[in-house]
Amino acid sequence: NAGVTQTPKFQVLKTGQSMTLQCAQDMNHEYMSWYRQDPGMGLRLIHYSVGAGITDQGEVPNGYNVSRSTTEDFPLRLLSAAPSQTSVYFCASSPTLAKNIQYFGAGTRLSVL
Amino acid sequence: KQEVTQIPAALSVPEGENLVLNCSFTDSAIYNLQWFRQDPGKGLTSLLLIQSSQREQTSGRLNASLDKSSGRSTLYIAASQPGDSATYLCAVSGSARQLTFGSGTQLTVLP
């Protein structure tokens, strides 16, 4: 059972480039979310999804897009990367929004130059 | 807006000591509270989840308490071991079930 899988583990981008961070879970969880973690600031919610076809914004959504076409996958797209988006990104899933014991992926470390 | 604070930011203790990590939150209207462990370069692992109607949860050497009225939670670690060294994060879930995290306490247990 792989749990929550994030790819890539590391990425370096130049300002203005776009890219997609991948997240997949094999636990048939309804709820998935993306966080960013910056030094001294804890994790902040970017976007979340309560099921296929449904997404919503979190605390810091600007500069990011998401879609949820399947239960398993929840990709995060950076439209035009900025140095302020240098961070560690975590994807998480939980069985339902109510049962929100969340399972986290190992993270993607992104640097924007 | 919910705010979660964890004090201290870092803590160093000798092996075998019992210790308490603190978490405070500003809005007492929470759905539940979770404690997570994060090892360097790794994701988060859920340790304990306390529903808003509960006062405490226990798992092995870990005990977490919740006092909603005062906006506080503590994580008690008994007989600490070097393997307990990690960053411990507290997160609260509000009515929309979204998690708000504290910035964590970095724990070092010295052999």
Side-chain angles (χ1 to χ4, degrees), chain B residues 60-83:
Chain B
R61 294 182 294 108
L62 305 179
N63 176 276
S65 68
L66 174 63
D67 184 342
K68 268 181 49 176
S69 61
S70 67
R72 294 182 182 180
S73 175
T74 61
L75 179 66
Y76 175 83
I77 302 177
S80 58
Q81 303 171 357

Side-chain angles (χ1 to χ4, degrees), chain B residues 13-29:
Chain B
V13 301
E15 182 177 3
E17 192 163 296
N18 302 326
L19 60 100
V20 174
L21 306 181
N22 296 296
C23 172
S24 62
F25 46 94
T26 56
D27 185 351
S28 61

Side-chain angles (χ1 to χ4, degrees), chain A residues 8-86:
Chain A
K9 293 191 185 323
F10 301 95
Q11 183 70 50
V12 178
L13 292 177
K14 294 181 180 178
T15 297
Q17 287 185 316
S18 62
M19 78 159 294
T20 299
L21 280 63
Q22 301 291 343
C23 176
Q25 52 90 10
D26 60 359
M27 298 174 282
N28 200 32
H29 286 174
E30 290 183 2
Y31 180 79
M32 297 185 73
S33 55
W34 277 101
Y35 295 87
R36 60 177 289 173
Q37 185 176 33
D38 301 296
M41 296 189 71
L43 280 77
R44 292 181 291 168
L45 182 65
I46 305 172
H47 285 284
Y48 65 96
S49 168
V50 299
I54 307 170
T55 64
D56 207 345
Q57 296 181 351
E59 182 184 354
V60 288
N62 292 342
Y64 307 95
N65 271 358
V66 291
S67 60
R68 184 94 179 271
S69 56
T70 68
T71 300
E72 294 78 19
D73 300 300
F74 190 43
L76 178 72
R77 297 182 187 84
L78 279 70
L79 308 173
S80 177
S84 61
Q85 293 179 304
T86 294

